[in-house]
Amino acid sequence: MFNSARLKLTGWYLLIIMVISISFSAVLYRLLTLELNQLIDRQNARLEKQYGAPNYRSTPLLDRAIVDEVKTRLAFNFMLINGLIFIGAGGLGFILAGKTLRPIKKMVDEQNRFIADASHELRTPITALKTTLEVSLRDESLSLKEAKATLRENLEDVNRLQFLASALLELTYCPRESTSVREIAQVADATKEALRVVKPLAAAKKIRIESEVAPITAVISTKELTDVLIILLDNAIKYSADKTAINLIALERDHQAFISVTDQGIGIPAVDLPHIFDRFYRADSSRSEATGSGYGLGLAIAKETIQRNQGALSVTSKPNVGTTFSMKLKMK
Ligand code: ADP
């Protein structure tokens, strides 16, 4: 599809350039031949005026055959120039068409991958749900207790589906660009709320969260900042051993709000680091599975949220030492 679109676009580029070039050449050729035709008449008139009618015939005149030859050469040169323009513009057009279409191709490829990944992730809980329901319906001796156990299982699958659906919605959320009113968050409010949410998770693993939050603002809504902090803190807890520490820092640096979450966890291998913000990416599935149900969507959501607010989210990590996620946001 990409190649046929590229050829089509090249064709259009070429058509426009050749129409302009050929029309221009035709007009130029017509003007030049007109001038050439008049050249002999003008020369005759001038000689007649200078030497009088009887004498000028003895003077050598501009040969009509030469004029015709010049006309032919002109036509040939114009054709040659247009041929060169055709080849040059064709090549250049092909390169430009590729450049124009590449971001669109990238977007379409990414969207297709997203749809494929999303359907794949959705299929598992749906299949589980369908199978348990079918098996239970077929079982005539199903007791109330067993039925309740099945319902509980079903509810778990429904919860997974609900979580996935809202994560997918969040990822495809497109902000209205025209809204010029930008929300300003008090960073301390967002960190407080995020810490409240993850506190039970940290307590379950006896993880200490030390926070050092300066009274700064950031250009982002409090809800968005809270959501991002929950994702980062939740990961830090998930991928850390019991009784370790997590540091949350928020301060002003270079007139920007700088917020970081550092853990002493398992870290991220260097090969995985470039992909960590990709949708559905999970570094080393075996260890991710060991930590519970993750879809590899959290960091993709976090990154998109921060970028949507013209900020930046980055990561540094050392396996078995720890990981730091840092974000920079405008202050006002
Ligand atoms: P998940 O739901 O799997 O945690 P995320 O998008 O939040 O999805 O994270 C993607 C992957 O990045 C995780 O599967 C994990 O391998 C890795 N990761 C994220 N945060 C950390 C961290 N603090 N320490 C180590 N690995 C992490």
Side-chain angles (χ1 to χ4, degrees):
M1 197 205 85
F2 174 69
N3 279 336
S4 76
R6 189 179 187 177
L7 283 174
K8 250 186 230 166
L9 196 59
T10 310
W12 280 111
Y13 282 156
L14 210 54
L15 185 74
I16 294 166
I17 292 169
M18 289 322 291
V19 165
I20 295 171
S21 172
I22 290 172
S23 324
F24 189 67
S25 306
V27 171
L28 214 61
Y29 178 75
R30 185 87 192 104
L31 283 176
L32 285 171
T33 48
L34 269 177
E35 285 295 323
L36 276 172
N37 287 341
Q38 285 171 9
L39 204 63
I40 295 180
D41 299 340
R42 277 210 219 108
Q43 191 193 40
N44 286 349
R46 193 165 291 176
L47 289 171
E48 204 173 322
K49 210 164 143 200
Q50 234 170 348
Y51 304 108
N55 297 329
Y56 81 88
R57 284 201 189 281
S58 56
T59 325
L61 285 176
L62 203 60
D63 192 346
R64 269 202 194 275
I66 290 179
V67 172
D68 287 342
E69 210 176 281
V70 171
K71 276 195 221 163
T72 319
R73 269 221 304 279
L74 268 179
F76 175 77
N77 281 338
F78 274 125
M79 277 196 290
L80 189 75
I81 289 167
N82 275 296
L84 290 176
I85 288 176
F86 182 83
I87 295 167
L92 214 66
F94 190 70
I95 294 168
L96 280 180
K99 271 197 188 264
T100 314
L101 292 174
R102 198 150 297 133
I104 301 169
K105 180 183 176 340
K106 203 174 149 219
M107 205 179 76
V108 172
D109 284 351
E110 203 174 285
Q111 232 161 36
N112 285 343
R113 194 169 60 85
F114 180 55
I115 292 168
D117 288 347
S119 343
H120 182 261
E121 295 292 337
L122 284 169
R123 212 166 38 210
T124 318
I126 289 175
T127 314
L129 199 61
K130 192 169 169 254
T131 318
T132 44
L133 283 174
E134 278 170 355
V135 170
S136 309
L137 274 179
R138 251 187 271 129
D139 186 356
E140 289 180 0
S141 60
L142 189 78
S143 68
L144 186 66
K145 202 174 153 208
E146 285 167 330
K148 279 197 171 172
T150 310
L151 283 178
R152 256 194 300 277
E153 248 176 70
N154 290 344
L155 197 62
E156 249 170 58
D157 288 326
V158 171
N159 281 339
R160 286 166 73 88
L161 280 172
Q162 191 185 28
F163 172 81
L164 245 181
S166 46
L168 291 175
L169 259 181
E170 186 120 346
L171 272 174
T172 45
Y173 162 75
C174 188
R176 281 158 289 156
E177 281 174 19
S178 55
T179 50
S180 53
V181 190
R182 321 221 60 195
E183 287 191 56
I184 311 276
Q186 294 293 334
V187 174
D189 290 348
T191 52
K192 202 170 139 198
E193 176 58 14
L195 286 172
R196 188 189 66 75
V197 173
V198 300
K199 213 169 162 187
L201 303 172
K205 290 180 84 175
K206 298 198 172 62
I207 288 176
R208 265 185 348 272
I209 304 182
E210 288 155 11
S211 61
E212 207 183 307
V213 181
I216 51 170
T217 56
V219 181
I220 188 171
S221 70
T222 309
K223 185 191 173 307
E224 284 175 308
L225 184 57
T226 309
D227 287 348
V228 171
L229 285 169
I230 291 173
I231 290 170
L232 298 182
L233 288 167
D234 179 37
N235 275 347
I237 296 167
K238 256 198 311 195
Y239 301 106
S240 286
D242 289 5
K243 296 183 188 155
T244 51
I246 292 171
N247 280 76
L248 168 64
I249 293 172
L251 45 88
E252 181 183 344
R253 187 182 281 176
D254 301 329
H255 307 295
Q256 280 184 311
F258 174 88
I259 306 166
S260 71
V261 175
T262 305
D263 64 48
Q264 302 166 346
I266 55 174
I268 304 165
V271 283
D272 294 313
L273 270 182
H275 309 287
I276 217 73
F277 295 106
D278 291 355
R279 291 160 181 173
F280 299 106
Y281 191 85
R282 269 166 272 173
D284 184 0
S285 57
S286 57
R287 66 173 199 159
S288 292
E289 269 158 26
T291 56
S293 57
Y295 288 102
L297 286 175
L299 288 180
I301 292 174
K303 181 126 191 167
E304 287 195 18
T305 309
I306 296 299
Q307 282 180 342
R308 197 160 63 218
N309 287 283
Q310 285 155 26
L313 178 64
S314 59
V315 60
T316 54
S317 184
K318 244 191 188 159
N320 301 320
V321 176
T323 305
T324 298
F325 283 94
S326 323
M327 64 179 115
K328 283 182 198 157
L329 284 161
K330 284 187 183 171
M331 289 189 74
K332 220 166 207 178

